[in-house]
Amino acid sequence: MQGGVLRFLCGALLLTQEPALAAGIDRQKWVLRRESGTNYACKCYPGDTCWPDSGQWQKLNATVGGNLQVDIPPGAPCYNTFKGPLGDVQTYNADECATVTANWTSEQFQVEQPAAALWTYFTNDTCRPTTNPTDNCTLGYYPVLVIMAKTVAHIQAGINFARENNLRLIIRNTGHDFLGRSVGWGALVINTHSFQDIKFTDTWQGASGYNGSAVTVGAGVQAFQVLKQANALKPPKIMVTGECATVGVAGGLVQGGGHGPLTNLYGFLADTALEFKVITADGKLTTANAKTKADLFWALRGGGPAAFAVIVEATYKTFDDQPSAGVSFDIDASVTTNATLFWEAVRVFHGHSARMVDDHGLYVYWELGTAGQNLHVHPIVGVGMTADQLAAALQPLYDDLAALGVRPAVTTRAFPTFYDLYEAMFESEVAGNSALTGGWTVARADVAANSTGIVDAFRTVLGAGSFIIGHMWSAGYGLPRAEWNASAVNPRFRDAVSKVITVVPVAGNAPLAEKAAAQDKLTNVVDAALRAAAPNGCAYVNEADPYQPNWQNAFWGTNYPALLKIRQKYDPDGLFYAVSTPGTENWTQIETDTRLCRKL
Ligand SMILES: Cc1cc2nc3c(=O)[nH]c(=O)nc-3n(C[C@H](O)[C@H](O)[C@H](O)COP(=O)(O)OP(=O)(O)OC[C@H]3O[C@@H](n4cnc5c(N)ncnc54)[C@H](O)[C@@H]3O)c2cc1C
Ligand SMILES: *[C@@H]1O[C@H](CO)[C@@H](O)[C@H](O)[C@H]1NC(C)=O
Ligand SMILES: *[C@@H]1O[C@H](CO)[C@@H](O)[C@H](O)[C@H]1NC(C)=O
Ligand SMILES: *[C@@H]1O[C@H](CO)[C@@H](O)[C@H](O)[C@H]1NC(C)=O
Ligand SMILES: *[C@@H]1O[C@H](CO)[C@@H](O)[C@H](O)[C@H]1NC(C)=O
Ligand SMILES: *[C@@H]1O[C@H](CO)[C@@H](O)[C@H](O)[C@H]1NC(C)=O
Ligand SMILES: *[C@@H]1O[C@H](CO)[C@@H](O)[C@H](O)[C@H]1NC(C)=O
Ligand SMILES: *[C@@H]1O[C@H](CO)[C@@H](O)[C@H](O)[C@H]1NC(C)=O
Ligand SMILES: *[C@@H]1O[C@H](CO)[C@@H](O)[C@H](O)[C@H]1NC(C)=O
Ligand SMILES: *[C@@H]1O[C@H](CO)[C@@H](O)[C@H](O)[C@H]1NC(C)=O
C-alpha cells in the first residue's frame, strides 16, 4: 500500500517506447505501462483496447444464463447516480436506501450482496449510505462486473473469459476478507454464494483411507449453516470452523488454514479436509485428494486463497459433539483503574497461555484495548469438559491474578454440546469497519522466554492507537504429529499457543498520505513490536499484514518453495491473484492500487 502511494506520487506514465517483452506477453492482450522507472504488463480494464466489447460480454452473459451483472456498490440506492466505468446508472430508491442504511453493519446483509466487502477500507470506502443523494456514487476499488454463478459451467465460463481476455479475476464468497482479497479495481467477479449444498455421511469412501463421518459442502456454505445441520444429526456432529459463524467454510478460510475453537482437538480446518472439487485456471473441473492431484490438494490446505484453483465443493471430517464448558470475564475499570496493575494482570493472563493450551487444550478468545484499558475474555472454551473441570483448569490463573489483587467476576457455564456453547457464548460481530489488519502468533518458547517483553509489545500496539483481537490455541495439541505436514500451513503453527490480530483503524477515504502512514505504522511499529517479542512465531495469511517483510517465510516457512512450484504448475500465467500469496512476487497494483500488473 505504502509502496503504491509512493509510486503514485512519483507519477504514472504511459509507455512511450515499448520495452523488450518477456516471453509469453502477447501485445494484443496486455496493456504496457511504466511507473517510477519500471515497465509493467497489465491486465485489461475498461477503456483499454483489449477490454472485451459489448458483443463479447453479451455472449458471456448468455453462457452464464443471464447471471452477469454490472457491479453496483451496495450503498448506491441512496444516490441519484452511480457513475460507473461502463456509464451512469440512476440508482436512487428511498426504500432500498433505508434498508441498506439500517443493515450497513450487518455481516449477513453484506454477505448477501453480490460483491460487497465487509471491511470497507479496501473499497476506498466508496459510496457509503448517505442522506445526500446528489453526491455521486463511484466504484472505488470495487470490481466492474459480477457473475452470480449458479452452476459449475458458469464458473468455468467466467474463468475462461477472464483468461482469454486477460481480465483481473476475483472469486467472492462472503466478502469477510481482512486483506481486501475479495475486491479488486476493475475486475470481473465470480460470486459463489449460490453453492449451498450440504451432504453428510457416516462413512466416507474416499481416497484418504479415512472412513469415518464427513460432510461435503458447496463453495458458498457458511459456518452457521453447516453447524446447525450437523447439530440436528443423531448423534450431533461438529466440524472445525472459525469462531465467526458467517465466514464461509470452503473459500478463503480453508485456503488460509482456518483456526477455531476446535483447533486444539483436530487442527486447522485445512487439516480436516478430505477432498476438493475445483476448477483450475485452464477451466477444467477436477478432484483433488490424497491420491489424485495430491500436490494441489496439499496446497489448497492452507497454501493461500485465490492462488491455485477455484473450490466448488469441499469435504471435511466431522466429529461427535461433546458436552462443553465456557468461562468469561473482564479485567477493566470494574476491576482496576490502576494502569500498572492492569498491565501486570495482562502479563499474568497471557503468561498462562501455554499452560491453558498445552495442559488442558483450552481455546481462548480475548480482546485487548477495544474499549480503552480493557481485557475482555469471552469465552474460554473447554470442549469435553464439565464446569468443574474447567474451573479447576483455570484455578492457577485465578490464583495468580488474586495474588496481584485482581479478582474479576467470572461467569462459568456448562452446555450439553459444544454447539450450544458456540451459539450462546460467542459474541456477534459487525461489518462496515474501515481498518488495516495485521497480526502475529506467539510460540510456547516465546511465552517461556519473554512473557514481559510480549506484554511490552502489546502496550506498544495499544499506544499506537491499535487494538488486539486474540486467540489461544495449539494446532499441534490433538492432531497426531504424522498428520502435521499433510496440509500446507506454516509448520511453526504447531508450536504456537497464542495468536493476535492487530487492527489499525483508518478511513478508507482518508488522504493518501494518511493511508500510507497507517500502513507504515502497522508494518513498522505495531507488528514489528510483536515480531521482535516473539521471534519463534509466524503469521496467519488470513489475519496479517501482507506487506510485512519476508512474508513468504512468515506465512509458510519451510513449505514456501513447494507452494511456489505448485503455483507455477497450476497457474503459470497469473489468472488468480491475491496479495502476498505464493508466486505473486512480480505482481503489483500500480497507479494508486488500481491496475494489476506484472513487472517486466
Ligand atoms: C469477523 C471475522 C471473524 C473471523 N474469524 C476467523 C476465525 O475464527 N478463524 C479464521 O481462521 N479466520 C477468521 N477470519 C478470517 C477469515 O478466515 C478470512 O476473512 C477468510 O478470507 C474468509 O473467507 P471467505 O471465503 O468467507 O471470504 P471472501 O472474502 O469472500 O474470500 C476470501 C478469499 O478467498 C478467496 N476465495 C473465496 N472463495 C473461494 C473459492 N471458492 N475458491 C478459491 N478462492 C476463493 C477470495 O478470492 C479471497 O481471496 C475472520 C474474519 C472476520 C471478518
Ligand atoms: C445479462 O442478461 C440478463 C438477462 O437477460 C440481463 O438482465 C442483464 O442486464 C444482463 N447483464 C448485462 C451486464 O448486460
Ligand atoms: C435489514 O434491516 C431490516 C430493518 O432493520 C431488518 O428487518 C432485516 O432483518 C435486515 N436484514 C438483514 C439481512 O440484516
Ligand atoms: C457528480 O458528477 C457530475 C459529473 O458527471 C458533476 O457535474 C457533479 O458535480 C458531481 N457531483 C458531486 C456532488 O460531486
Ligand atoms: C480513492 O479515494 C481517494 C481519496 O481518498 C481518491 O483520490 C481516489 O481517486 C479514489 N480512487 C478510486 C479508484 O476511486
Ligand atoms: C474403517 O477403517 C477401520 C480402520 O482402518 C477398519 O477397522 C474398519 O473396518 C473400516 N470400516 C469400514 C466400514 O470400512
Ligand atoms: C498501582 O498498582 C501498583 C502495582 O500493584 C502499585 O505498586 C501501586 O501502588 C498502585 N497505585 C495506586 C495509585 O494504587
Ligand atoms: C523480548 O521482547 C522484547 C520486545 O518487547 C524484544 O526486544 C526482545 O528481543 C525479546 N527477547 C527475546 C528473548 O525474545
Ligand atoms: C514437516 O515439515 C517440516 C518442514 O518442511 C520438516 O522440518 C519436518 O521434519 C516435517 N515433519 C514430518 C513429520 O514430516
Ligand atoms: C520474477 O521475475 C524475475 C525476472 O524475470 C524472475 O527471475 C523470477 O523468477 C520471477 N519470480 C516469480 C516468483 O515469478
PDB file of all heavy atoms in Angstrom, residues 109-137:
ATOM      1  N   PHE A 109     -26.178  -9.235   5.916  1.00  0.00           N
ATOM      2  CA  PHE A 109     -26.671  -8.377   4.840  1.00  0.00           C
ATOM      3  C   PHE A 109     -25.565  -8.155   3.809  1.00  0.00           C
ATOM      4  O   PHE A 109     -25.790  -8.284   2.598  1.00  0.00           O
ATOM      5  CB  PHE A 109     -27.142  -7.027   5.411  1.00  0.00           C
ATOM      6  CG  PHE A 109     -27.582  -6.055   4.350  1.00  0.00           C
ATOM      7  CD1 PHE A 109     -28.877  -6.104   3.842  1.00  0.00           C
ATOM      8  CD2 PHE A 109     -26.700  -5.116   3.838  1.00  0.00           C
ATOM      9  CE1 PHE A 109     -29.274  -5.214   2.846  1.00  0.00           C
ATOM     10  CE2 PHE A 109     -27.085  -4.220   2.846  1.00  0.00           C
ATOM     11  CZ  PHE A 109     -28.382  -4.275   2.349  1.00  0.00           C
ATOM     12  N   GLN A 110     -24.369  -7.841   4.279  1.00  0.00           N
ATOM     13  CA  GLN A 110     -23.254  -7.573   3.352  1.00  0.00           C
ATOM     14  C   GLN A 110     -22.829  -8.849   2.617  1.00  0.00           C
ATOM     15  O   GLN A 110     -22.508  -8.812   1.432  1.00  0.00           O
ATOM     16  CB  GLN A 110     -22.061  -6.980   4.116  1.00  0.00           C
ATOM     17  CG  GLN A 110     -22.355  -5.640   4.782  1.00  0.00           C
ATOM     18  CD  GLN A 110     -22.438  -4.472   3.801  1.00  0.00           C
ATOM     19  OE1 GLN A 110     -22.293  -4.633   2.596  1.00  0.00           O
ATOM     20  NE2 GLN A 110     -22.679  -3.275   4.328  1.00  0.00           N
ATOM     21  N   VAL A 111     -22.852  -9.988   3.340  1.00  0.00           N
ATOM     22  CA  VAL A 111     -22.503 -11.266   2.702  1.00  0.00           C
ATOM     23  C   VAL A 111     -23.390 -11.494   1.484  1.00  0.00           C
ATOM     24  O   VAL A 111     -22.934 -11.954   0.439  1.00  0.00           O
ATOM     25  CB  VAL A 111     -22.663 -12.425   3.719  1.00  0.00           C
ATOM     26  CG1 VAL A 111     -22.660 -13.778   3.007  1.00  0.00           C
ATOM     27  CG2 VAL A 111     -21.566 -12.376   4.776  1.00  0.00           C
ATOM     28  N   GLU A 112     -24.666 -11.152   1.624  1.00  0.00           N
ATOM     29  CA  GLU A 112     -25.633 -11.464   0.563  1.00  0.00           C
ATOM     30  C   GLU A 112     -25.597 -10.471  -0.603  1.00  0.00           C
ATOM     31  O   GLU A 112     -26.272 -10.677  -1.612  1.00  0.00           O
ATOM     32  CB  GLU A 112     -27.038 -11.574   1.177  1.00  0.00           C
ATOM     33  CG  GLU A 112     -27.166 -12.879   1.967  1.00  0.00           C
ATOM     34  CD  GLU A 112     -28.376 -12.933   2.891  1.00  0.00           C
ATOM     35  OE1 GLU A 112     -29.244 -12.044   2.802  1.00  0.00           O
ATOM     36  OE2 GLU A 112     -28.427 -13.881   3.710  1.00  0.00           O
ATOM     37  N   GLN A 113     -24.816  -9.402  -0.514  1.00  0.00           N
ATOM     38  CA  GLN A 113     -24.628  -8.504  -1.663  1.00  0.00           C
ATOM     39  C   GLN A 113     -23.708  -9.191  -2.676  1.00  0.00           C
ATOM     40  O   GLN A 113     -22.867 -10.002  -2.296  1.00  0.00           O
ATOM     41  CB  GLN A 113     -24.006  -7.180  -1.213  1.00  0.00           C
ATOM     42  CG  GLN A 113     -24.789  -6.459  -0.126  1.00  0.00           C
ATOM     43  CD  GLN A 113     -26.225  -6.214  -0.523  1.00  0.00           C
ATOM     44  OE1 GLN A 113     -26.490  -5.689  -1.594  1.00  0.00           O
ATOM     45  NE2 GLN A 113     -27.158  -6.623   0.323  1.00  0.00           N
ATOM     46  N   PRO A 114     -23.834  -8.835  -3.957  1.00  0.00           N
ATOM     47  CA  PRO A 114     -23.029  -9.540  -4.971  1.00  0.00           C
ATOM     48  C   PRO A 114     -21.519  -9.449  -4.739  1.00  0.00           C
ATOM     49  O   PRO A 114     -20.801 -10.415  -4.960  1.00  0.00           O
ATOM     50  CB  PRO A 114     -23.419  -8.855  -6.278  1.00  0.00           C
ATOM     51  CG  PRO A 114     -24.767  -8.254  -6.019  1.00  0.00           C
ATOM     52  CD  PRO A 114     -24.811  -7.920  -4.557  1.00  0.00           C
ATOM     53  N   ALA A 115     -21.017  -8.287  -4.318  1.00  0.00           N
ATOM     54  CA  ALA A 115     -19.553  -8.144  -4.273  1.00  0.00           C
ATOM     55  C   ALA A 115     -19.078  -7.267  -3.118  1.00  0.00           C
ATOM     56  O   ALA A 115     -17.940  -6.821  -3.115  1.00  0.00           O
ATOM     57  CB  ALA A 115     -19.040  -7.577  -5.595  1.00  0.00           C
ATOM     58  N   ALA A 116     -19.939  -7.028  -2.118  1.00  0.00           N
ATOM     59  CA  ALA A 116     -19.560  -6.108  -1.041  1.00  0.00           C
ATOM     60  C   ALA A 116     -18.398  -6.654  -0.223  1.00  0.00           C
ATOM     61  O   ALA A 116     -18.259  -7.859  -0.040  1.00  0.00           O
ATOM     62  CB  ALA A 116     -20.759  -5.863  -0.119  1.00  0.00           C
ATOM     63  N   ALA A 117     -17.572  -5.739   0.291  1.00  0.00           N
ATOM     64  CA  ALA A 117     -16.506  -6.098   1.224  1.00  0.00           C
ATOM     65  C   ALA A 117     -16.952  -5.681   2.623  1.00  0.00           C
ATOM     66  O   ALA A 117     -17.388  -4.544   2.822  1.00  0.00           O
ATOM     67  CB  ALA A 117     -15.217  -5.388   0.849  1.00  0.00           C
ATOM     68  N   LEU A 118     -16.862  -6.594   3.584  1.00  0.00           N
ATOM     69  CA  LEU A 118     -17.296  -6.275   4.945  1.00  0.00           C
ATOM     70  C   LEU A 118     -16.389  -5.242   5.596  1.00  0.00           C
ATOM     71  O   LEU A 118     -16.819  -4.461   6.421  1.00  0.00           O
ATOM     72  CB  LEU A 118     -17.350  -7.544   5.804  1.00  0.00           C
ATOM     73  CG  LEU A 118     -18.659  -8.335   5.709  1.00  0.00           C
ATOM     74  CD1 LEU A 118     -18.940  -8.796   4.298  1.00  0.00           C
ATOM     75  CD2 LEU A 118     -18.667  -9.497   6.666  1.00  0.00           C
ATOM     76  N   TRP A 119     -15.101  -5.270   5.238  1.00  0.00           N
ATOM     77  CA  TRP A 119     -14.133  -4.275   5.745  1.00  0.00           C
ATOM     78  C   TRP A 119     -13.943  -3.266   4.623  1.00  0.00           C
ATOM     79  O   TRP A 119     -13.345  -3.570   3.591  1.00  0.00           O
ATOM     80  CB  TRP A 119     -12.834  -4.967   6.158  1.00  0.00           C
ATOM     81  CG  TRP A 119     -13.066  -5.764   7.399  1.00  0.00           C
ATOM     82  CD1 TRP A 119     -13.753  -6.939   7.493  1.00  0.00           C
ATOM     83  CD2 TRP A 119     -12.683  -5.421   8.730  1.00  0.00           C
ATOM     84  NE1 TRP A 119     -13.813  -7.340   8.806  1.00  0.00           N
ATOM     85  CE2 TRP A 119     -13.154  -6.436   9.583  1.00  0.00           C
ATOM     86  CE3 TRP A 119     -11.972  -4.346   9.285  1.00  0.00           C
ATOM     87  CZ2 TRP A 119     -12.957  -6.408  10.965  1.00  0.00           C
ATOM     88  CZ3 TRP A 119     -11.766  -4.336  10.656  1.00  0.00           C
ATOM     89  CH2 TRP A 119     -12.256  -5.353  11.483  1.00  0.00           C
ATOM     90  N   THR A 120     -14.451  -2.054   4.801  1.00  0.00           N
ATOM     91  CA  THR A 120     -14.647  -1.150   3.678  1.00  0.00           C
ATOM     92  C   THR A 120     -13.373  -0.442   3.212  1.00  0.00           C
ATOM     93  O   THR A 120     -13.375   0.178   2.160  1.00  0.00           O
ATOM     94  CB  THR A 120     -15.704  -0.090   4.024  1.00  0.00           C
ATOM     95  OG1 THR A 120     -15.252   0.629   5.184  1.00  0.00           O
ATOM     96  CG2 THR A 120     -17.038  -0.726   4.330  1.00  0.00           C
ATOM     97  N   TYR A 121     -12.302  -0.545   3.987  1.00  0.00           N
ATOM     98  CA  TYR A 121     -11.060   0.132   3.609  1.00  0.00           C
ATOM     99  C   TYR A 121     -10.687  -0.180   2.161  1.00  0.00           C
ATOM    100  O   TYR A 121     -10.288   0.698   1.402  1.00  0.00           O
ATOM    101  CB  TYR A 121      -9.934  -0.307   4.547  1.00  0.00           C
ATOM    102  CG  TYR A 121      -8.618   0.379   4.263  1.00  0.00           C
ATOM    103  CD1 TYR A 121      -8.335   1.625   4.814  1.00  0.00           C
ATOM    104  CD2 TYR A 121      -7.666  -0.201   3.428  1.00  0.00           C
ATOM    105  CE1 TYR A 121      -7.143   2.273   4.542  1.00  0.00           C
ATOM    106  CE2 TYR A 121      -6.473   0.443   3.157  1.00  0.00           C
ATOM    107  CZ  TYR A 121      -6.217   1.676   3.719  1.00  0.00           C
ATOM    108  OH  TYR A 121      -5.039   2.319   3.441  1.00  0.00           O
ATOM    109  N   PHE A 122     -10.839  -1.453   1.796  1.00  0.00           N
ATOM    110  CA  PHE A 122     -10.324  -1.914   0.506  1.00  0.00           C
ATOM    111  C   PHE A 122     -11.250  -1.592  -0.663  1.00  0.00           C
ATOM    112  O   PHE A 122     -10.977  -1.941  -1.805  1.00  0.00           O
ATOM    113  CB  PHE A 122     -10.020  -3.410   0.584  1.00  0.00           C
ATOM    114  CG  PHE A 122      -9.037  -3.683   1.682  1.00  0.00           C
ATOM    115  CD1 PHE A 122      -9.459  -4.090   2.933  1.00  0.00           C
ATOM    116  CD2 PHE A 122      -7.693  -3.463   1.477  1.00  0.00           C
ATOM    117  CE1 PHE A 122      -8.556  -4.289   3.965  1.00  0.00           C
ATOM    118  CE2 PHE A 122      -6.778  -3.656   2.491  1.00  0.00           C
ATOM    119  CZ  PHE A 122      -7.214  -4.076   3.745  1.00  0.00           C
ATOM    120  N   THR A 123     -12.367  -0.936  -0.384  1.00  0.00           N
ATOM    121  CA  THR A 123     -13.227  -0.443  -1.458  1.00  0.00           C
ATOM    122  C   THR A 123     -12.936   1.033  -1.722  1.00  0.00           C
ATOM    123  O   THR A 123     -13.604   1.663  -2.528  1.00  0.00           O
ATOM    124  CB  THR A 123     -14.715  -0.569  -1.083  1.00  0.00           C
ATOM    125  OG1 THR A 123     -15.005   0.411  -0.080  1.00  0.00           O
ATOM    126  CG2 THR A 123     -15.044  -1.954  -0.573  1.00  0.00           C
ATOM    127  N   ASN A 124     -11.965   1.591  -0.988  1.00  0.00           N
ATOM    128  CA  ASN A 124     -11.740   3.041  -0.962  1.00  0.00           C
ATOM    129  C   ASN A 124     -12.885   3.699  -0.188  1.00  0.00           C
ATOM    130  O   ASN A 124     -13.112   4.892  -0.328  1.00  0.00           O
ATOM    131  CB  ASN A 124     -11.636   3.627  -2.374  1.00  0.00           C
ATOM    132  CG  ASN A 124     -10.570   4.718  -2.485  1.00  0.00           C
ATOM    133  OD1 ASN A 124      -9.679   4.808  -1.643  1.00  0.00           O
ATOM    134  ND2 ASN A 124     -10.671   5.535  -3.522  1.00  0.00           N
ATOM    135  N   ASP A 125     -13.584   2.904   0.602  1.00  0.00           N
ATOM    136  CA  ASP A 125     -14.726   3.389   1.402  1.00  0.00           C
ATOM    137  C   ASP A 125     -15.724   4.150   0.541  1.00  0.00           C
ATOM    138  O   ASP A 125     -16.282   5.164   0.945  1.00  0.00           O
ATOM    139  CB  ASP A 125     -14.237   4.286   2.542  1.00  0.00           C
ATOM    140  CG  ASP A 125     -14.784   3.828   3.875  1.00  0.00           C
ATOM    141  OD1 ASP A 125     -15.711   2.993   3.888  1.00  0.00           O
ATOM    142  OD2 ASP A 125     -14.290   4.302   4.906  1.00  0.00           O
ATOM    143  N   THR A 126     -15.948   3.632  -0.634  1.00  0.00           N
ATOM    144  CA  THR A 126     -16.740   4.367  -1.612  1.00  0.00           C
ATOM    145  C   THR A 126     -18.236   4.162  -1.400  1.00  0.00           C
ATOM    146  O   THR A 126     -18.662   3.118  -0.908  1.00  0.00           O
ATOM    147  CB  THR A 126     -16.346   3.925  -3.036  1.00  0.00           C
ATOM    148  OG1 THR A 126     -16.847   4.892  -3.950  1.00  0.00           O
ATOM    149  CG2 THR A 126     -16.883   2.553  -3.386  1.00  0.00           C
ATOM    150  N   CYS A 127     -19.023   5.157  -1.752  1.00  0.00           N
ATOM    151  CA  CYS A 127     -20.477   5.006  -1.877  1.00  0.00           C
ATOM    152  C   CYS A 127     -21.125   4.471  -0.601  1.00  0.00           C
ATOM    153  O   CYS A 127     -21.952   3.567  -0.646  1.00  0.00           O
ATOM    154  CB  CYS A 127     -20.783   4.086  -3.073  1.00  0.00           C
ATOM    155  SG  CYS A 127     -22.479   4.136  -3.646  1.00  0.00           S
ATOM    156  N   ARG A 128     -20.754   5.047   0.529  1.00  0.00           N
ATOM    157  CA  ARG A 128     -21.426   4.668   1.780  1.00  0.00           C
ATOM    158  C   ARG A 128     -22.856   5.207   1.757  1.00  0.00           C
ATOM    159  O   ARG A 128     -23.128   6.214   1.097  1.00  0.00           O
ATOM    160  CB  ARG A 128     -20.692   5.261   2.979  1.00  0.00           C
ATOM    161  CG  ARG A 128     -19.315   4.692   3.201  1.00  0.00           C
ATOM    162  CD  ARG A 128     -18.682   5.325   4.421  1.00  0.00           C
ATOM    163  NE  ARG A 128     -19.181   4.735   5.649  1.00  0.00           N
ATOM    164  CZ  ARG A 128     -18.621   3.686   6.249  1.00  0.00           C
ATOM    165  NH1 ARG A 128     -17.537   3.125   5.748  1.00  0.00           N
ATOM    166  NH2 ARG A 128     -19.128   3.201   7.360  1.00  0.00           N
ATOM    167  N   PRO A 129     -23.786   4.598   2.491  1.00  0.00           N
ATOM    168  CA  PRO A 129     -25.140   5.135   2.560  1.00  0.00           C
ATOM    169  C   PRO A 129     -25.096   6.602   2.997  1.00  0.00           C
ATOM    170  O   PRO A 129     -24.289   6.960   3.852  1.00  0.00           O
ATOM    171  CB  PRO A 129     -25.808   4.280   3.643  1.00  0.00           C
ATOM    172  CG  PRO A 129     -25.044   3.005   3.638  1.00  0.00           C
ATOM    173  CD  PRO A 129     -23.632   3.364   3.280  1.00  0.00           C
ATOM    174  N   THR A 130     -25.927   7.417   2.387  1.00  0.00           N
ATOM    175  CA  THR A 130     -25.890   8.860   2.658  1.00  0.00           C
ATOM    176  C   THR A 130     -27.309   9.414   2.659  1.00  0.00           C
ATOM    177  O   THR A 130     -28.234   8.792   2.136  1.00  0.00           O
ATOM    178  CB  THR A 130     -25.052   9.583   1.578  1.00  0.00           C
ATOM    179  OG1 THR A 130     -25.041  10.978   1.870  1.00  0.00           O
ATOM    180  CG2 THR A 130     -25.635   9.384   0.184  1.00  0.00           C
ATOM    181  N   THR A 131     -27.458  10.618   3.232  1.00  0.00           N
ATOM    182  CA  THR A 131     -28.738  11.320   3.134  1.00  0.00           C
ATOM    183  C   THR A 131     -28.634  12.417   2.076  1.00  0.00           C
ATOM    184  O   THR A 131     -29.520  13.253   1.955  1.00  0.00           O
ATOM    185  CB  THR A 131     -29.092  11.963   4.492  1.00  0.00           C
ATOM    186  OG1 THR A 131     -27.958  12.714   4.945  1.00  0.00           O
ATOM    187  CG2 THR A 131     -29.434  10.902   5.522  1.00  0.00           C
ATOM    188  N   ASN A 132     -27.534  12.406   1.332  1.00  0.00           N
ATOM    189  CA  ASN A 132     -27.238  13.418   0.316  1.00  0.00           C
ATOM    190  C   ASN A 132     -27.248  12.815  -1.075  1.00  0.00           C
ATOM    191  O   ASN A 132     -26.194  12.566  -1.654  1.00  0.00           O
ATOM    192  CB  ASN A 132     -25.826  13.946   0.588  1.00  0.00           C
ATOM    193  CG  ASN A 132     -25.839  15.414   0.877  1.00  0.00           C
ATOM    194  OD1 ASN A 132     -26.840  16.091   0.610  1.00  0.00           O
ATOM    195  ND2 ASN A 132     -24.744  15.902   1.420  1.00  0.00           N
ATOM    196  N   PRO A 133     -28.420  12.545  -1.649  1.00  0.00           N
ATOM    197  CA  PRO A 133     -28.458  11.791  -2.912  1.00  0.00           C
ATOM    198  C   PRO A 133     -27.773  12.483  -4.080  1.00  0.00           C
ATOM    199  O   PRO A 133     -27.471  11.837  -5.083  1.00  0.00           O
ATOM    200  CB  PRO A 133     -29.956  11.608  -3.184  1.00  0.00           C
ATOM    201  CG  PRO A 133     -30.654  12.570  -2.305  1.00  0.00           C
ATOM    202  CD  PRO A 133     -29.759  12.873  -1.152  1.00  0.00           C
ATOM    203  N   THR A 134     -27.484  13.776  -3.970  1.00  0.00           N
ATOM    204  CA  THR A 134     -26.841  14.447  -5.103  1.00  0.00           C
ATOM    205  C   THR A 134     -25.342  14.193  -5.162  1.00  0.00           C
ATOM    206  O   THR A 134     -24.703  14.487  -6.166  1.00  0.00           O
ATOM    207  CB  THR A 134     -27.100  15.973  -5.070  1.00  0.00           C
ATOM    208  OG1 THR A 134     -26.679  16.465  -3.797  1.00  0.00           O
ATOM    209  CG2 THR A 134     -28.570  16.280  -5.289  1.00  0.00           C
ATOM    210  N   ASP A 135     -24.751  13.661  -4.082  1.00  0.00           N
ATOM    211  CA  ASP A 135     -23.362  13.185  -4.194  1.00  0.00           C
ATOM    212  C   ASP A 135     -23.347  12.056  -5.228  1.00  0.00           C
ATOM    213  O   ASP A 135     -24.355  11.386  -5.429  1.00  0.00           O
ATOM    214  CB  ASP A 135     -22.857  12.633  -2.852  1.00  0.00           C
ATOM    215  CG  ASP A 135     -22.547  13.742  -1.855  1.00  0.00           C
ATOM    216  OD1 ASP A 135     -22.543  14.914  -2.262  1.00  0.00           O
ATOM    217  OD2 ASP A 135     -22.321  13.417  -0.671  1.00  0.00           O
ATOM    218  N   ASN A 136     -22.182  11.841  -5.852  1.00  0.00           N
ATOM    219  CA  ASN A 136     -22.111  10.735  -6.812  1.00  0.00           C
ATOM    220  C   ASN A 136     -21.594   9.479  -6.125  1.00  0.00           C
ATOM    221  O   ASN A 136     -20.678   9.535  -5.320  1.00  0.00           O
ATOM    222  CB  ASN A 136     -21.172  11.105  -7.954  1.00  0.00           C
ATOM    223  CG  ASN A 136     -21.745  12.241  -8.799  1.00  0.00           C
ATOM    224  OD1 ASN A 136     -22.922  12.204  -9.141  1.00  0.00           O
ATOM    225  ND2 ASN A 136     -20.923  13.222  -9.105  1.00  0.00           N
ATOM    226  N   CYS A 137     -22.187   8.350  -6.474  1.00  0.00           N
ATOM    227  CA  CYS A 137     -21.658   7.054  -6.032  1.00  0.00           C
ATOM    228  C   CYS A 137     -20.629   6.617  -7.076  1.00  0.00           C
ATOM    229  O   CYS A 137     -20.922   6.591  -8.268  1.00  0.00           O
ATOM    230  CB  CYS A 137     -22.802   6.042  -5.943  1.00  0.00           C
ATOM    231  SG  CYS A 137     -22.270   4.319  -5.792  1.00  0.00           S
TER     232      CYS A 137
END
